[in-house]
Amino acid sequence: MADDFRTTEVGDRYAQALFDLALETGRLDAVRADLTSLKAAWIESADLRRLATSPVISAEDQGKGLVAIAAKARFEQTTANFLGLLAQNHRARDLPHVIAGFEARYAKHAGIAAAEVVSAQALDAKQLTAIKTALNASLGKAPELTTRVDPAILGGLKIKVGSKLFDASLKTKLDQMKFALKRA
């Protein structure tokens, strides 16, 4: 699911257009908040993912559905109009890529280092504070953390900042040992 939120060429173009429009109209923070909510909804709702990605649902119906979601969530008009345009252009399936592109532009604009922390179990406030402090020291700016739980990593952490990945997960260490043993 988290892999859905990576940039693509198409997503990047739409993200740039939305970012420029939001910046120009002074609605940048409101649109960012809308997209953050939409990202959470995308992750949690199979129905939303099905609405946007199903080839059986017409672009018109996708647009109506996305605009209805925007209205129910009280999104900024800019965001609602953009969702309608995305569906109209048969690009609703690219919504996660647009969100990723927008987040990257916003982080660069605001001087924020966005970091994703993946752990095998939920982290408590003390652990998150320690991670923030360590990242702040190494990056030179305050990170904005998003967390995700993935039991498949077995233990440890994966931290992604931009295109850099720090992988200290138990699964990776075990895979490395297995590979080393096969080569021996």
Side-chain angles (χ1 to χ4, degrees), residues 104-183:
R105 280 174 175 68
Y106 184 87
K108 185 176 181 182
H109 174 77
I112 297 170
E116 180 185 29
V117 179
V118 181
S119 59
Q121 55 189 350
L123 300 172
D124 62 28
K126 185 177 177 182
Q127 291 168 322
L128 288 173
T129 302
I131 292 169
K132 269 188 181 181
T133 303
L135 285 173
N136 192 8
S138 67
L139 298 172
K141 50 185 163 182
E144 185 175 275
L145 296 182
T146 56
T147 60
R148 184 168 54 94
V149 175
D150 182 3
I153 69 169
L154 304 175
L157 294 173
K158 284 184 176 183
I159 300 175
K160 184 177 180 184
V161 180
S163 62
K164 295 181 182 175
L165 176 67
F166 171 74
D167 189 345
S169 67
L170 187 55
K171 181 179 182 341
T172 299
K173 291 185 188 293
L174 289 171
D175 288 345
Q176 289 170 345
M177 285 174 49
K178 183 169 52 172
F179 180 72
L181 288 171
K182 283 183 180 178
R183 290 183 56 206

Side-chain angles (χ1 to χ4, degrees), residues 3-15 42 91-103 105:
D3 291 340
D4 286 351
F5 293 94
R6 65 189 190 308
T7 57
T8 61
E9 188 176 331
V10 170
D12 213 36
R13 283 196 314 258
Y14 278 94
W42 184 274
R91 293 294 182 184
R93 69 183 172 280
D94 292 313
L95 183 57
H97 310 301
V98 173
I99 293 171
F102 187 92
E103 287 174 340
R105 280 174 175 68

Side-chain angles (χ1 to χ4, degrees), residues 47-129:
D47 290 338
L48 174 58
R49 291 190 303 272
R50 201 170 13 261
L51 168 70
T53 61
S54 176
V56 196
I57 301 173
S58 71
E60 183 180 335
D61 289 341
Q62 285 176 336
K64 288 177 183 176
L66 290 173
V67 169
I69 290 168
K72 185 76 172 169
R74 298 175 193 238
F75 284 171
E76 179 67 33
Q77 191 60 46
T78 304
T79 309
N81 291 346
F82 179 79
L83 291 173
L85 176 72
L86 205 60
Q88 179 183 342
N89 291 344
H90 304 276
R91 293 294 182 184
R93 69 183 172 280
D94 292 313
L95 183 57
H97 310 301
V98 173
I99 293 171
F102 187 92
E103 287 174 340
R105 280 174 175 68
Y106 184 87
K108 185 176 181 182
H109 174 77
I112 297 170
E116 180 185 29
V117 179
V118 181
S119 59
Q121 55 189 350
L123 300 172
D124 62 28
K126 185 177 177 182
Q127 291 168 322
L128 288 173
T129 302

